[in-house]
Amino acid sequence: MNNDKILEIKDLNISYRQKQNAVSGLSLSIRRGEILTIVGESGSGKSSLIHAVLGLLSSSVKISGTIVYKNKYVLNDFDDKLRKEISGKEIAMVFQDTLSHLDPIKRISYQYDEFITAHEKLTKEECRKLERESLKKLGFEDPDRILDSYPFELSGGMQQRVGIAMALTFNPALLLADEPTSALDVTLQVQVVEELLRLSEDHNTAMIIVTHNMGVAAHISDNIAVMKDGRMVEYGSKEEVIENPKSEYTKKLIEAIPKLDDLRFADRKREVF
């Protein structure tokens, strides 16, 4: 098993004007090919954490601590140029509300082309081919129709799958996903989870997935971190956290949140290479 850390967070603290200590003293690391889920209720600080990794928090937010990528890049010291080079290709993000990140008056193809050509010099034909392939992996049987549509012509679930397809386009080294399945029905949740697992296994992609659904966490994770009020209250392998939780808060989450036990996920018994 490869113990190379692709991301290490040390003593991270995040404070907003309206909310002090949104994240307090958080430290964790993730290896290549590992899937870490961060579970917690709204306001627990889990989304703030992954937004800090990509530098998406506003300048008014106070951040301390270090976020180190591939043992050499300190992400919170990045200039805009270096951040743009890495963000979207090496480190990709799936947002909870994809529609808010799509331009409603531009076709999907136009926006997808912009995303691709920001990182690779491809022709329109090459972009279209790559876009078709990416959308097909997320279950779109007619990708050309999707590409020629405006965002408002797609359902919320379809928009979410488009956002996930875009994030996975370049097989990133690290994928950050903020509630990636919350807008999807149960069947599509399974499909998306399986595609994330395939990406991790085929390309050794590390993932940090924020979710409130302990059922998703139980099926997809290598490790689970549980957050409450900005602090990490539990961390361990999925077996340790699900089968032998130490925190009372974790126990309540396991009892209260519906699991996906009835769904047919692929068996996840693998080594992280």
Side-chain angles (χ1 to χ4, degrees):
M1 182 175 288
N2 191 337
N3 289 320
D4 286 348
K5 294 175 183 176
I6 196 162
L7 187 76
E8 185 168 21
I9 299 171
K10 295 181 180 178
D11 195 27
L12 182 66
N13 299 278
I14 301 173
S15 290
Y16 301 87
R17 289 175 182 171
Q18 69 276 23
K19 184 176 182 179
Q20 299 297 309
N21 303 317
V23 174
S24 299
L26 189 142
S27 297
L28 58 81
S29 62
I30 181 168
R31 305 184 311 276
R32 297 178 188 275
E34 177 186 343
I35 298 179
L36 168 68
T37 53
I38 302 177
V39 184
E41 297 172 329
S42 296
S44 63
K46 56 190 191 298
S47 293
S48 293
L49 166 62
I50 61 171
H51 287 180
V53 172
L54 263 188
L56 298 177
L57 299 176
S58 73
S59 58
S60 64
V61 179
K62 293 182 179 179
I63 303 175
S64 64
T66 56
I67 305 171
V68 181
Y69 175 62
K70 288 186 174 179
N71 294 315
K72 58 181 179 179
Y73 299 116
V74 182
L75 295 185
N76 41 330
D77 289 342
F78 268 21
D79 59 31
D80 288 341
K81 182 176 183 295
L82 186 54
R83 188 180 300 282
K84 287 178 181 178
E85 288 177 4
I86 289 179
S87 297
K89 188 173 184 181
E90 287 199 38
I91 304 177
M93 178 82 176
V94 176
F95 296 93
Q96 181 176 5
D97 181 11
T98 300
L99 182 58
S100 64
H101 297 274
L102 293 173
D103 190 328
I105 62 171
K106 294 179 180 177
R107 296 184 190 274
I108 297 296
S109 59
Y110 182 90
Q111 299 180 66
Y112 211 151
D113 286 354
E114 282 189 322
F115 171 73
I116 291 174
T117 55
H119 301 287
E120 294 283 350
K121 293 182 179 179
L122 300 181
T123 66
K124 276 190 170 296
E125 291 74 19
E126 289 171 331
C127 285
R128 190 75 168 196
K129 180 181 178 182
L130 184 55
E131 291 158 6
R132 287 192 188 107
E133 292 172 351
S134 298
L135 290 172
K136 284 181 178 178
K137 290 177 182 177
L138 268 294
F140 289 109
E141 296 180 358
D142 188 2
D144 286 309
R145 181 180 68 82
I146 301 302
L147 290 167
D148 292 335
S149 298
Y150 292 95
F152 63 82
E153 296 178 310
L154 306 177
S155 68
M158 294 170 78
Q159 293 165 11
Q160 184 71 355
R161 283 190 287 154
V162 167
I164 294 170
M166 291 177 72
L168 302 184
T169 301
F170 294 110
N171 300 319
L174 174 63
L175 179 72
L176 310 173
D178 191 357
E179 298 281 4
T181 62
S182 62
L184 306 177
D185 63 33
V186 172
T187 302
L188 290 177
Q189 285 186 39
V190 176
Q191 187 171 2
V192 167
V193 167
E194 293 297 349
E195 180 58 25
L196 293 176
L197 288 174
R198 184 204 63 76
L199 177 73
S200 176
E201 292 166 357
D202 291 355
H203 299 281
N204 210 24
T205 300
M207 300 184 189
I208 300 178
I209 299 175
V210 163
T211 182
H212 66 276
N213 192 320
M214 192 64 84
V216 169
H219 279 94
I220 200 171
S221 308
D222 292 300
N223 293 306
I224 297 175
V226 180
M227 291 187 67
K228 183 180 189 299
D229 298 329
R231 295 187 177 275
M232 189 164 64
V233 298
E234 187 142 11
Y235 177 85
S237 70
K238 68 175 181 181
E239 291 81 12
E240 291 170 341
V241 173
I242 298 296
E243 297 173 11
N244 188 30
K246 297 177 176 61
S247 162
E248 289 300 317
Y249 178 68
T250 305
K251 293 175 184 177
K252 290 179 181 178
L253 284 179
I254 293 171
E255 292 171 0
I257 299 176
K259 301 181 179 62
L260 298 181
D261 292 337
D262 295 333
L263 301 181
R264 296 182 178 180
F265 285 90
D267 290 337
R268 183 166 166 73
K269 297 177 181 178
R270 68 180 185 92
E271 291 292 317
V272 180
F273 297 102

